[in-house]
Amino acid sequence: EVQVVESGGGLVQPGGSLRLSCAVSGSAFESYFMTWVRQAPGKGLEWVAVINPEENEKYYADSVKGRFTISRDNAKKSVYLQMDSLRVEDTAVFYCATGTKGWIFDWWGQGTLVTVSS
Amino acid sequence: DIVMTQSPDSLAVSLGERATINCKSSQSLISNNKNFLAWFQQKPGQPPNLLIYWASTRESGVPDRFSGSGSGTDFTLTISSLQAEDVAVYYCQQYYGSPITFGQGTRLEIK
């Protein structure tokens, strides 16, 4: 079984920055695709970004492109989401998930809440 | 972008009865004879849980009352005999290409 634990959420002012971290157990992390998905309060799921195992392919939702950056450290079995120029509408629970079979997101963390407010 | 549309938005079914949720994509999700479509279940206060991928492959540990069907642009999630623990919001999701997109969700309740 794979375990996923997010951290780094909190309250930030509009225009500010935040870096989310996601630690993954499991011996094959270096072969996993990794993704971030968010959920605004009371709303549905919105995909944010995905990164391939080699870190040479990254894709973003249009709503975060140019503001968010996904990265990973295979030695630390971790993936990150650097969030800059945050907006009120970025307020959400951010989930990290593994793709052990490509872009099929099979193991999810409990999420970390990001609140953007003045 | 591929738009995923679920129907209905909410559904109430009696215990032991069949529940059916539909998902339609704005373009075909078939490539190499595979449909790039997944189904997730999300219970209150919990993260999403993968139920089905490749449109009809049940994830390990998922009860066999859950099944997925369909191809191309039209897909269905069926719960053959509703149990109390199946109360949740269900999402379809396409992973055919970027941006990855989810349906708006279907809320399933007990009648």
Side-chain angles (χ1 to χ4, degrees), chain A residues 11-12 18 20-21 31 37-38 48 53-54 70-71 82-83 86 89 93 101 110 118:
Chain A
L11 175 63
V12 61
L18 212 55
L20 304 184
S21 299
S31 68
V37 173
R38 68 183 179 183
V48 173
E54 297 78 21
I70 190 170
S71 63
Q82 177 65 41
M83 304 186 295
L86 281 162
E89 54 266 34
V93 173
K101 301 179 281 288
Q110 290 298 310
S118 55

Side-chain angles (χ1 to χ4, degrees), chain A residues 39 44 47 59 95 104-105 109, chain B residues 40 42 47 53 91 98-100:
Chain A
Q39 188 167 35
W47 171 76
Y59 298 94
Y95 295 104
I104 299 165
F105 305 136
Chain B
F40 292 87
Q42 188 178 32
Y53 57 96
Y91 296 91
S98 179
I100 294 163

Side-chain angles (χ1 to χ4, degrees), chain A residues 17-28:
Chain A
S17 296
L18 212 55
R19 188 193 194 213
L20 304 184
S21 299
C22 171
V24 179
S25 70
S27 59

